[in-house]
Amino acid sequence: MAHASEEFGHGDDRPPVDRDPADQDPAPPRRRTGGRSARVRAQVLAATGDLLVEGGYDGLAVDAVAERAGVHRTTVYRRWRDVGGLLADLLDAASDDAWSPPDTGSLEGDLAALNREVYEALAGDGTGLTTALIAAGFRSAEAAGALSRFWEDRYARCAEVVTRATARGELPGPVDTRALLVAATAPLYHELLLLRAAPDPALPGRAAAGAAAAGRAGVFGVPAPPTAVTPPR
């Protein structure tokens, strides 16, 4: 399969192999290193995010990222290859943090706190980095894969919210954790991304309350496996 950059016009302007003396040992994007490698990665990813917000996917080009980051373009081409590689690493870097879901003492409170973080990332004029990255996922296969990894990571971390609620006795029996979390956050993505509705500060709490009530009512319960029936002799 062609890289996303080749499909959308970023793959035909690769420079000649003019070696950058400072870039003899490039590291893979996900490798955690210090010193110059870490500084270059931080500069390049910051430039990628800024340019994506400013011009969208179509306004993103490797040469422009290199110029904005203040690094040699060969460094960027060799380490990230193309726009898809830049976007994928930008998303993967977002998972290299110590974020954990807040503990408010109740399921509804925890879901509301999570929703407020989502709301802050999505609300506004629709030109924020979160919105731009989601849109880029529809244009780049590498970005789409990285976006899926990011969501999987966040849902895995947020499972703690349901585990705590079950331990407190707020939820009856085994619960489909993913279904509950999706139900809590889906109204925000639907309203703010799909419908482009006007920001509503009450939306995070309202969506959380609905999902928590459904959870308490057993809507997200996991069915018990069927009992084997022994045929009569």
Side-chain angles (χ1 to χ4, degrees):
M1 174 183 288
H3 289 296
S5 61
E6 296 170 352
E7 296 175 15
F8 295 102
H10 298 286
D12 297 328
D13 58 348
R14 291 173 183 259
V17 183
D18 50 337
R19 302 283 178 162
D20 178 5
D23 183 50
Q24 297 301 316
D25 297 299
R30 293 285 287 166
R31 182 180 177 186
R32 296 185 182 216
T33 56
R36 180 182 180 279
S37 180
R39 289 194 300 274
V40 167
R41 185 188 186 210
Q43 291 168 217
V44 168
L45 295 187
T48 301
D50 290 344
L51 290 171
L52 181 65
V53 170
E54 293 171 13
Y57 183 87
D58 290 324
L60 197 60
V62 174
D63 284 3
V65 169
E67 182 179 1
R68 176 70 65 92
V71 302
H72 198 282
R73 62 177 183 166
T74 304
T75 300
V76 183
Y77 278 111
R78 291 184 62 194
R79 183 167 178 173
W80 287 275
R81 302 182 311 279
D82 51 32
V83 166
L86 287 165
L87 290 171
D89 195 28
L90 180 61
L91 281 158
D92 285 335
S95 296
D96 293 339
D97 60 14
W99 180 88
S100 61
D103 186 355
T104 67
S106 72
L107 174 62
E108 183 174 333
D110 288 354
L111 294 177
L114 290 174
N115 277 359
R116 281 192 291 271
E117 292 189 25
V118 174
Y119 179 85
E120 290 171 3
L122 297 179
D125 59 8
T127 59
L129 181 58
T130 299
T131 302
L133 284 169
I134 292 173
F138 291 95
R139 304 288 300 278
S140 162
E142 288 181 89
L147 193 59
S148 294
R149 292 193 296 273
F150 175 81
W151 294 132
E152 289 294 336
D153 172 74
R154 282 302 189 256
Y155 277 120
R157 298 192 202 191
C158 290
E160 182 181 345
V161 168
V162 179
T163 300
R164 291 194 301 244
T166 301
R168 288 191 294 260
E170 292 185 76
L171 296 170
V175 174
D176 185 335
T177 300
R178 175 69 61 86
L180 196 160
L181 293 171
V182 168
T185 57
L188 279 72
Y189 290 99
H190 190 89
E191 292 285 335
L192 299 174
L193 284 185
L194 300 182
L195 296 180
R196 299 297 179 94
D200 176 5
L203 178 59
R206 185 166 63 248
R216 290 191 296 267
V219 171
F220 304 110
V222 177
T227 303
V229 177
T230 302
R233 293 179 179 271

